[in-house]
Amino acid sequence: MWGGGGNTNNYTQQIRDDEAARQERVRTGTKRIEDMFGDQFDDAFYDKQAQSYLDFANPQLDDQFKNAAKQLTYSLDRRGALDSTSRSSLEADLGKRKALLSTEIKDKANQFKTDAMAGVEGARSDLINTLNATGDVDATVNSANARAKVLSQPVAYSPIAQAFSDFTTALGQQAAAEKAFAYGAGPRPAVSTGLFGSRPGAVVNT
């Protein structure tokens, strides 16, 4: 009986020792994961995720805006309306569209930053949970290295949509409608930019 009690005490102590060793491995592994992720994924990394998208999207928006402005100028020039009041109105509309789209790009850039932060935090949490469950430091740290490499890869962006296609399409449709009216081939447009003047022989109210 005495021998049996001694074996039980030894077994209990072994369990305690094993658990203490496991907890120490978990602490060691957790620190290695935290250090690894902390070194790679800092504020500069997250800011770069937003800036990278801005650097990708803004030049496209600028190019599309310049092309739309050229089309507007060309359309006005063909009709001798470069000095018309409609030019200021149309250019203001074009500028407002660009400002709105620029804000949308900034919002999307911030979303890339937020997504990166969520991805890193999710990976860190998963790795620490795995470490707590297995106590296998080497395997978990190897997994952490692999996850960190994936998280560090640049995001593949899609080109932005044609931001001013509706503006240039509407400009062409408006010009066609006003031209048809000016030459007696169509009804009066609901809105007139004055690009073609009045229909010949039309009565102008003063």
Side-chain angles (χ1 to χ4, degrees):
M1 292 178 61
W2 290 105
N7 289 336
T8 300
N9 290 336
N10 290 338
Y11 179 71
T12 301
Q13 185 60 46
Q14 184 63 51
I15 292 176
R16 290 172 179 168
D17 291 344
D18 289 346
E19 177 58 20
R22 190 193 72 81
Q23 291 182 13
E24 180 60 29
R25 291 195 302 273
V26 168
R27 283 192 292 271
T28 299
T30 298
K31 186 177 187 307
R32 290 177 65 181
I33 293 169
E34 294 286 0
D35 289 346
M36 180 191 305
F37 275 53
D39 289 342
Q40 294 187 51
F41 306 114
D42 54 9
D43 289 342
F45 172 82
Y46 296 123
D47 289 342
K48 184 179 179 181
Q49 306 315 300
Q51 189 60 49
S52 292
Y53 184 72
L54 292 175
D55 293 342
F56 171 82
N58 278 332
Q60 296 179 59
L61 178 63
D62 289 340
D63 287 344
Q64 291 185 24
F65 175 77
K66 290 175 183 177
N67 288 334
K70 286 179 181 178
Q71 290 186 47
L72 173 59
T73 300
Y74 176 67
S75 179
L76 292 169
D77 186 43
R78 283 194 306 169
R79 295 154 182 79
L82 284 176
D83 296 325
S84 66
T85 56
S86 61
R87 176 179 183 176
S88 297
S89 176
L90 291 168
E91 287 180 340
D93 184 29
L94 192 60
K96 288 178 182 178
R97 288 167 184 259
K98 184 185 180 185
L100 178 62
L101 292 164
S102 180
T103 298
E104 291 178 0
I105 286 174
K106 289 178 182 177
D107 290 343
K108 191 168 184 178
N110 286 329
Q111 188 60 53
F112 277 113
K113 177 179 178 178
T114 300
D115 290 347
M117 295 174 71
V120 169
E121 186 53 40
R124 188 199 330 257
S125 179
D126 288 345
L127 289 162
I128 291 175
N129 287 338
T130 298
L131 178 62
N132 274 286
T134 65
D136 191 333
V137 176
D138 290 338
T140 307
V141 169
N142 287 337
S143 294
N145 275 312
R147 295 285 290 273
K149 287 180 181 178
V150 172
L151 291 167
S152 298
Q153 293 299 312
V155 177
Y157 305 125
S158 298
I160 67 172
Q162 291 299 314
F164 302 98
S165 59
D166 59 337
F167 177 85
T168 54
T169 298
L171 183 65
Q173 292 173 343
Q174 180 69 24
E178 291 187 29
K179 182 177 181 180
F181 174 72
Y183 289 96
R188 179 189 295 275
V191 177
S192 177
T193 62
L195 294 179
F196 284 90
S198 302
R199 175 185 294 178
V203 176
V204 179
N205 295 323
T206 59

